[in-house]
Amino acid sequence: MTVIYHTFMLVDSDGLGVVPAQDVTPLPARFTAASPNIVVIMSNFDTHNAEVVIEAWDEPPPLELMENVDAEEDIVNFSSGILNAATPAGGPVSAAIDLERPAMTWNLRVYRQDLYPDLDPGDESLDDVDDLERYLIQLWPTHN
């Protein structure tokens, strides 16, 4: 489980790269944005715990077809290959994940599954309610 504060990040241990986290904001029609050493992911809800699974693959993983799921793809460069899920307001919220491949460019696919699609994300009574969403983050090397 990872604590999510409407926004969470996947951050390389080398830092945020050349773009500060506050400058990496998803475009209006998207929920992810990537820049060197950082991926920013927007939640549909406010503060809550959500399951976040991060997978590293050698080849493109099969595309998952699930109900109530948004999926986006991007490309990101991680300099050290050691990642943490983190929040913009504080430090890491997960154990370090070592991709064992420093200085690589990765394909990125993020799934955001709404577990209660009939709930209104703006409903303040849902603040601090857990397990409203689930995230699957998949990474695989680009082959340039």
Side-chain angles (χ1 to χ4, degrees):
M1 297 296 264
T2 297
V3 177
I4 296 174
Y5 300 93
H6 193 63
T7 302
F8 72 101
M9 305 176 300
L10 192 59
V11 180
D12 190 279
S13 67
D14 278 350
L16 301 178
V18 295
V19 180
Q22 65 268 21
D23 293 341
V24 182
T25 306
L27 297 171
R30 294 180 53 93
F31 68 92
T32 62
S35 186
N37 288 333
I38 183 170
V39 176
V40 175
I41 302 168
M42 301 289 291
S43 169
N44 271 333
F45 297 93
D46 205 353
T47 305
H48 66 287
N49 286 312
E51 179 181 8
V52 177
V53 175
I54 301 168
E55 300 176 342
W57 294 70
D58 291 326
E59 297 294 327
L63 193 59
E64 303 267 340
L65 300 175
M66 299 174 278
E67 284 190 45
N68 305 313
V69 173
D70 296 317
E72 292 184 354
E73 293 190 5
D74 213 326
I75 294 175
V76 62
N77 182 277
F78 292 123
S79 56
S80 77
I82 299 171
L83 312 178
N84 280 99
T87 65
V93 294
S94 73
I97 299 152
D98 189 349
L99 298 175
E100 299 179 1
R101 298 179 188 176
M104 277 195 71
T105 302
W106 296 83
N107 290 293
L108 166 75
R109 183 183 299 142
V110 180
Y111 293 98
R112 179 180 66 186
Q113 183 178 21
D114 188 345
L115 299 177
Y116 299 95
D118 295 331
L119 295 179
D120 175 9
D123 183 348
E124 291 182 14
S125 69
L126 297 175
D127 289 359
D128 299 316
V129 173
D130 292 337
D131 301 317
L132 297 171
E133 299 170 303
R134 180 179 302 140
Y135 293 85
L136 173 60
I137 301 169
Q138 297 175 323
L139 299 159
W140 65 98
T142 59
H143 297 288
N144 300 345

